Structure formats: C-alpha cells, structure tokens
Amino acid sequence: MTKHSYDKEFKEQAVQYYLDNKDHMTVNEMSKNLVTVNEMSKNLGIGASTLHKWIKLFTGTGEFGRGSGNFASDKDKEIARLKRQLRDAEGAIEVLKKSIGILSK
C-alpha cells in the first residue's frame, strides 16, 4: 500500500466538508444509521482514520476554524462547495458504472 501525501488546501477542504455536513447528517430510514465520518471519507477518497486525524488536528490547534472557514470571499466558499459536490457526484457515477458492469454479466 502506498502512502499518499495531501496538501494543506485539500486537508482544509476535507475538514470543512466535515464541518459543513456534520450538522446535516441524515438518518437512513431503512437502517436508522447516521451518515458517518466513514462515509464522508469514502466520498473524499481518503481513509476514515486520516479524516479523523485531520479533524482533530485542525479543530484542536485552531489552525482551521469553524463555520465559514478561511475563505477569502463568498465566491471562494461557493467554489469549494461546488468542488465537493462535483467530487461526490463523480464518486456516485463510478459506483453506478461498476454496478452496471456487475449486473450486465
């Protein structure tokens, strides 16, 4: 297994993704399970322990604040939100492609 190196901007965006969504976690009506950090980390393509570590590091040191984060403007915040949304959609498309491949056999 290879070790990945992520830049500070990606780490900050990952933590911001968690902070933006932790209060909006929904209950899955079928299983009554909360959407977890594990699911968020899968959406980001990183391990859950990595995301937990980044959350602890950035929120513990105060280097990365809560709420609106450290975006220079509302435009930058919107761009980051759209990038996260695109990343989530691309992940969903990959899952659907794999599902179609499995079902078509």
Side-chain angles (χ1 to χ4, degrees):
M1 185 177 264
T2 60
K3 184 173 181 173
H4 291 87
S5 178
Y6 299 98
D7 63 12
K8 184 178 178 182
E9 182 180 353
F10 179 81
K11 292 176 184 180
E12 289 176 343
Q13 288 177 349
V15 173
Q16 188 63 47
Y17 174 65
Y18 166 76
L19 294 173
D20 288 345
N21 291 289
K22 73 178 185 137
D23 295 330
H24 303 291
M25 291 182 180
T26 59
V27 176
N28 182 332
E29 295 174 6
M30 297 291 237
S31 64
K32 302 294 182 193
N33 292 329
L34 288 175
V35 175
T36 63
V37 172
N38 293 339
E39 293 177 45
M40 288 183 183
S41 65
K42 285 179 188 176
N43 290 342
L44 294 168
I46 59 175
S49 61
T50 301
L51 183 56
H52 278 289
K53 182 175 73 174
W54 293 348
I55 292 167
K56 185 177 179 180
L57 174 71
F58 286 115
T59 57
T61 62
E63 184 176 305
F64 185 71
R66 253 183 100 94
S68 65
N70 60 352
F71 296 104
S73 67
D74 288 338
K75 181 179 176 182
D76 291 338
K77 185 176 181 179
E78 178 68 5
I79 289 169
R81 185 189 68 77
L82 291 171
K83 284 181 180 180
R84 285 190 305 272
Q85 188 176 2
L86 176 61
R87 190 170 40 244
D88 290 347
E90 288 172 339
I93 289 169
E94 288 302 313
V95 169
L96 290 172
K97 285 179 181 178
K98 288 178 184 178
S99 298
I100 290 170
I102 290 170
L103 293 174
S104 66
K105 290 183 181 179

